[in-house]
C-alpha cells in the first residue's frame, strides 16, 4: 500500500487506496491523485463542494463518489465531468501548540475530571468516525478564558465512550470527586459522554451525599474539533456553574435550546437524554430543571441544597451490578426470566406499561423471582408521570407479591438507585425502606409537577 503522495499503480492497489470504489469512479479518483480519507474539493459545472472522500460499499455503483460534508452529512455526487482536488486536511484543534494554562490568583478552584465521550473526542478525518482523544487539559487549552473564571485543576480519569461506563467507574468517579473536594475544590466538573451521562449523574447523586459544592456533569453533541461544536459553551458554562452556583448538588449542564443562547442545569436524578443528536437533548423529567444559565447568570428554578464551604461529602460509592432493567412489551416470553432467576441476580427493575403493569402471563415468574430473594421494583415506560399500582387489580396483585413501586422515578434512576441500595445493605426491610425514601431529589411522594418537559 502506498503512502499519501505516492500513486498506487495496479488495479488492486488503486482499489485499496480508494476502498470500495470501482470502474469509472475509481478512474476519476486515481486520475485526480486522491485517496479515501482525503479532504478535497469536488467540482463540476453545477456544484463545488468540499469535504472528506468517504469509502464506498462494494455493492454500490461505479458512477458516484461520496463526500462527508463539514456538517457531518454524506453527499453522493456523480463522477460525470467531475474534477477532484486534494486539500490539506483540517487540523484538529488538539494539534494547536500547547499553552501553559494560567489563571488569575484568588479565583474559585474548580477541578475538571475527564472521562471521555464526544466532549473529549476528535474526528478521525480518514473515516469521519469520532474517537476519544482530548484530555481535560486539551479542552482547557482550547478555552483559555476558563482561566478568567476559575483556577483550574484537571484530572484524566478515563477516555471512555460512555456506553462503556459501568458501576465500577461510577465508584471511581465518586472517589475522585471526593478527593478533589478534600483537596480544596470549590466545585467539580466531569466531562462525560452524553449517552449514559444521566445514569452517571444519578449514580453520583446517591454516592456523594451531603455535598458541600456543586458537581456538574457536562457533555457535547458535536465533537470538540468541529466548528459547530457545543463543547466549549457547555464546558465554560459548567466551569461557571461549578465555581459560582449557589447549590451543592450533582447537576447535568447542557444547551437549553438548539441555538447557543442559553444553558440549563438539570438535577442529576431527574435528567434523561431525550434526543439522539440535538444540542438540547437532555430534559428534566417529572421536575423542573435546577437552574437556567443565561450570559453567565444562574437563575435557580426550584429549592436546592445550598453550598456549605469547608465540609466533606459522605462517600457511599458501592453499587451492586447484579441488577437488570427489563422493559415489558406485548408478548414478553415468561421463560426469559428463567436464566435471570437461575443466575441469581439481586434486583430486577421492571419498566412496566402505563401506571405500572406487565402481562399476567409473567406474574408467576415475578413471584418466583421474589421468592428466590430478588428485589423487584416497578417503574413506568411512560417516562412522564408516576406509577400507581392501586388502580387496577393486576397492579394490586403485583404489590401483594412484594413488587416495590418506583413512584415518579425515571426507570434509569430506579435502576441506578436499586444498584446503590443493594450496594449499601442486604437486609430486605432496609432495601424496601431505602428504595422507597427520597435520597437525592429523585422521588417525590406526590407529583406536584405534572407538566413542563424541560
Ligand atoms: N456514544 C458516546 C458517548 O456517550 C459519544 C456520544 C457523546 O458523547 O455524546 O460517550
Amino acid at each position: 500500500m502506498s503512502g499519501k503522495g505516492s500513486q498506487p499503480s495496479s488495479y488492486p492497489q488503486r482499489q485499496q487506496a480508494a476502498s470500495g470504489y470501482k470502474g469509472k469512479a475509481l478512474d476519476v479518483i486515481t486520475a485526480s491523485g486522491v485517496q479515501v480519507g482525503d479532504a478535497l474539493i469536488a467540482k463540476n459545472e453545477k456544484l463545488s463542494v468540499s469535504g472528506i472522500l468517504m469509502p464506498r460499499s462494494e455493492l454500490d455503483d461505479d458512477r458516484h463518489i461520496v463526500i462527508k460534508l463539514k456538517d457531518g452529512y454524506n453527499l453522493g455526487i456523480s463522477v460525470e465531468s467531475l474534477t477532484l482536488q486534494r486539500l490539506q486536511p483540517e487540523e484538529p484543534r488538539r494539534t494547536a501548540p500547547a499553552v501553559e494554562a494560567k489563571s488569575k490568583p484568588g479565583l474559585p478552584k474548580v477541578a475538571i475530571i475527564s472521562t471521555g465521550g464526544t466532549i473529549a473526542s476528535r474526528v478521525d478525518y480518514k473515516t469521519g468516525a469520532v474517537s476519544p482523544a482530548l484530555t481535560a487539559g486539551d479542552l482547557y487549552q482550547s478555552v483559555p478564558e476558563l482561566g478568567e473564571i476559575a483556577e483550574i485543576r484537571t484530572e484524566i480519569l478515563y477516555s471512555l465512550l460512555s456506553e462503556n461506563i459501568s458501576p465500577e467507574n461510577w465508584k471511581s468517579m465518586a472517589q475522585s470527586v471526593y478527593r478533589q473536594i478534600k483537596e480544596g475544590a470549590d466545585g467539580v466538573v466531569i466531562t462525560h459522554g452524553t449517552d449514559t451521562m444521566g445514569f452517571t449523574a444519578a449514580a453520583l447523586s446517591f454516592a456523594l451525599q451531603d455535598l458541600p459544592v456543586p458537581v456538574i456533569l457536562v457533555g457535547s453533541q458535536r465533537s470538540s474539533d468541529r466548528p459547530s461544536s457545543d463543547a466549549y459553551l457547555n464546558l465554560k458554562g459548567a466551569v461557571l456553574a461549578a465555581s459560582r452556583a449557589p447549590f451543592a448538588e450533582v447537576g447535568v449542564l447542557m444547551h437549553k435550546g438548539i441555538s447557543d443562547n442559553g444553558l440549563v442545569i438539570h438535577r442529576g436524578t431527574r435528567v434523561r437524554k431525550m434526543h439522539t443528536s440535538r444540542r438540547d437533548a437532555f430534559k428534566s423529567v417529572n421536575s423542573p430543571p435546577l437552574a437556567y444559565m443565561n450570559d453567565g447568570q444562574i437563575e435557580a428554578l426550584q429549592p436546592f441544597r445550598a453550598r456549605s464551604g469547608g465540609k466533606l461529602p459522605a462517600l457511599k460509592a458501592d453499587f451492586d451490578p447484579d441488577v437488570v432493567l427489563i422493559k415489558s412489551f406485548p408478548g414478553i416470553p415468561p421463560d426469559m426470566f428463567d436464566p435471570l432467576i437461575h443466575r441469581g441476580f439481586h434486583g430486577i427493575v421492571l419498566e412496566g406499561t402505563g401506571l405500572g403493569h406487565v402481562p399476567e402471563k409473567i406474574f408467576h415468574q415475578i413471584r418466583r423471582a421474589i421468592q428466590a430473594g430478588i428485589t423487584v421494583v416497578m417503574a413506568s415506560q411512560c417516562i412522564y408521570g408516576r406509577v400507581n399500582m392501586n388502580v387496577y387489580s393486576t397492579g394490586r396483585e403485583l404489590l401483594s407479591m412484594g413488587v416495590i413501586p418506583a413512584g415518579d422515578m425515571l426507570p434509569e434512576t430506579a435502576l441506578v438507585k436499586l444498584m446503590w441500595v443493594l450496594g449499601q445493605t442486604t437486609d430486605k426491610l432496609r432495601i424496601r425502606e431505602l428504595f422507597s425514601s427520597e435520597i437525592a431529589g429523585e422521588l417525590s411522594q406526590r407529583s406536584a409537577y405534572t407538566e413542563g418537559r424541560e
Side-chain angles (χ1 to χ4, degrees):
M1 165 90 198
S2 64
K4 276 196 178 187
S6 58
Q7 281 304 303
S9 48
S10 71
Y11 192 81
Q13 269 187 328
R14 286 166 54 206
Q15 270 211 305
Q16 207 181 347
S19 47
Y21 287 100
K22 57 191 176 211
K24 207 163 178 179
L26 181 60
D27 290 343
V28 172
I29 287 169
T30 37
S32 313
V34 298
Q35 298 184 11
V36 163
D38 281 348
L40 48 77
I41 293 187
K43 280 187 190 162
N44 61 24
E45 53 297 342
K46 289 202 204 98
L47 57 77
S48 168
V49 288
S50 60
I52 309 292
L53 182 63
M54 297 301 285
R56 197 97 161 113
S57 154
E58 294 291 340
L59 301 175
D60 288 330
D61 69 41
D62 67 349
R63 293 180 305 280
H64 293 84
I65 60 163
V66 177
I67 289 188
K68 182 174 279 298
L69 304 177
K70 257 208 161 126
D71 59 11
Y73 287 101
N74 288 347
L75 181 70
I77 308 173
S78 164
V79 291
E80 212 54 60
S81 63
L82 194 70
T83 60
L84 302 174
Q85 188 192 338
R86 191 160 76 198
L87 297 170
Q88 285 307 313
E90 185 181 338
E91 284 293 310
R93 292 183 192 211
R94 72 189 296 262
T95 57
V99 288
E100 233 342 67
K102 292 233 163 55
S103 60
K104 291 185 189 158
L107 289 173
K109 295 182 178 59
V110 170
I112 304 180
I113 300 172
S114 167
T115 70
T118 292
I119 192 160
S121 300
R122 67 190 183 92
V123 174
D124 178 337
Y125 284 86
K126 278 252 175 240
T127 61
V130 175
S131 57
L134 297 187
T135 65
D138 292 332
L139 288 168
Y140 183 20
Q141 283 179 6
S142 306
V143 195
E145 61 264 43
L146 294 185
E148 305 275 312
I149 304 171
E151 190 185 309
I152 309 279
R153 183 184 312 156
T154 61
E155 174 183 338
I156 308 155
L157 191 56
Y158 304 117
S159 184
L160 286 173
L161 295 171
S162 74
E163 55 270 37
N164 297 323
I165 281 178
S166 67
E168 264 307 299
N169 304 125
W170 300 336
K171 181 172 181 167
S172 312
M173 282 187 227
Q175 288 167 334
S176 283
V177 172
Y178 182 88
R179 204 172 44 246
Q180 291 290 356
I181 295 173
K182 197 168 174 194
E183 287 170 11
D186 298 304
V188 179
V189 171
I190 300 177
T191 60
H192 199 288
T194 59
D195 284 10
T196 67
M197 189 156 66
F199 292 78
T200 296
L204 296 181
S205 306
F206 297 121
L208 289 158
Q209 294 183 13
D210 305 331
L211 269 176
V213 299
V215 175
I216 308 293
L217 285 116
V218 64
S220 74
Q221 293 282 75
R222 313 272 153 79
S223 70
S224 43
D225 58 352
R226 280 182 196 272
S228 64
S229 177
D230 48 341
Y232 299 97
L233 198 67
N234 289 352
L235 183 66
K236 202 172 142 189
V239 171
L240 256 172
S243 59
R244 315 243 191 292
F247 53 80
E249 297 198 24
V250 176
V252 167
L253 181 142
M254 290 291 283
H255 269 51
K256 181 169 160 231
I258 51 172
S259 65
D260 272 349
N261 51 19
L263 301 169
V264 53
I265 307 167
H266 304 277
R267 181 165 272 149
T269 50
R270 294 287 201 175
V271 63
R272 192 169 195 275
K273 185 174 182 179
M274 302 293 269
H275 198 280
T276 53
S277 56
R278 282 170 61 125
R279 290 154 177 242
D280 60 346
F282 283 80
K283 302 290 173 197
S284 284
V285 174
N286 293 334
S287 157
L290 258 182
Y292 288 148
M293 186 187 283
N294 292 307
D295 299 324
Q297 298 303 311
I298 299 167
E299 178 199 349
L301 300 176
Q302 56 165 312
F304 52 79
R305 180 189 160 77
R307 275 183 185 270
S308 51
K311 300 212 179 96
L312 277 179
L315 183 65
K316 300 181 178 180
D318 288 322
F319 293 89
D320 181 344
D322 275 343
V323 181
V324 294
L325 174 61
I326 295 177
K327 186 169 190 145
S328 182
F329 54 90
I332 182 170
D335 59 4
M336 70 170 270
F337 287 86
D338 290 341
L340 300 180
I341 297 167
H342 181 72
R343 150 83 158 68
F345 280 97
H346 301 153
I348 297 177
V349 178
L350 291 168
E351 211 180 286
T353 50
L355 291 166
H357 302 127
V358 292
E360 285 170 83
K361 266 169 85 178
I362 68 168
F363 277 21
H364 69 287
Q365 291 289 50
I366 293 173
R367 190 174 292 110
R368 262 188 74 210
I370 292 171
Q371 281 166 359
I374 301 176
T375 301
V376 180
V377 311
M378 178 71 77
S380 174
Q381 56 190 255
C382 290
I383 305 299
Y384 287 95
R386 65 188 306 121
V387 294
N388 184 346
M389 300 167 70
N390 284 307
V391 177
Y392 297 95
S393 61
T394 45
R396 288 196 292 272
E397 196 175 335
L398 289 168
L399 287 176
S400 72
M401 284 179 209
V403 173
I404 307 173
D408 62 347
M409 258 185 270
L410 279 165
E412 297 83 3
T413 297
L415 172 79
V416 173
K417 186 174 180 182
L418 188 54
M419 288 177 169
W420 179 79
V421 167
L422 295 175
Q424 310 305 305
T425 179
T426 51
D427 179 85
K428 286 283 166 214
L429 273 180
R430 183 76 186 126
I431 290 170
R432 177 177 283 271
E433 188 182 71
L434 260 184
F435 186 83
S436 306
S437 49
E438 191 222 308
I439 310 279
E442 76 284 5
L443 172 70
S444 42
Q445 295 310 332
R446 295 190 45 186
S447 296
Y449 188 76
T450 52
E451 56 187 343
R453 301 179 169 199
E454 292 194 273

